[in-house]
Amino acid sequence: PGIYVCAKCGHELFSSHSKYEHSSPWPAFTETIHQDSVAKREERPGALKVTCGKCGNGLGHEFLNDGPKRGQSRF
C-alpha cells in the first residue's frame, strides 16, 4: 500500500488504490496519481510509451482499453 514513485527522481506516479491483478508479470495500474505524473507518446496503435513526467525515466507502456473495466487503460 502507498504511493509508487519514479526510481530515478522520486516523482509520484501511481497510488496502490489504482493497482490491480493482471496476467502480466509487472504491476498494473488503471490511472496515474497526478495529471503530470507521466508523459506519453504513441509507440504503436493501442500502446503508448510512458516516461516519468519529471525526469523522463522510462516506465514502460500504457495499453489502451486493456484495463479491468471496459474503456480503461492499463499502465
Side-chain angles (χ1 to χ4, degrees):
I3 305 295
Y4 291 78
V5 300
C6 176
K8 188 172 180 182
C9 74
H11 189 58
E12 293 181 336
L13 303 171
F14 305 101
S15 166
S16 61
H17 295 292
S18 70
K19 187 176 178 186
Y20 71 99
E21 292 297 321
H22 187 269
S23 60
S24 165
W26 297 280
F29 302 90
T30 56
E31 62 187 8
T32 60
I33 195 164
H34 303 292
Q35 202 164 8
D36 68 346
S37 291
V38 301
K40 309 172 196 179
R41 68 174 170 77
E42 187 171 17
E43 186 170 77
R44 64 181 186 271
L48 306 175
K49 185 71 175 166
V50 177
T51 57
C52 173
K54 185 175 181 181
C55 74
N57 188 36
L59 301 173
H61 295 85
E62 176 182 1
F63 297 99
L64 307 176
N65 300 309
D66 191 38
K69 294 180 184 172
R70 185 181 179 115
Q72 278 187 321
S73 290
R74 171 175 59 94
F75 290 88

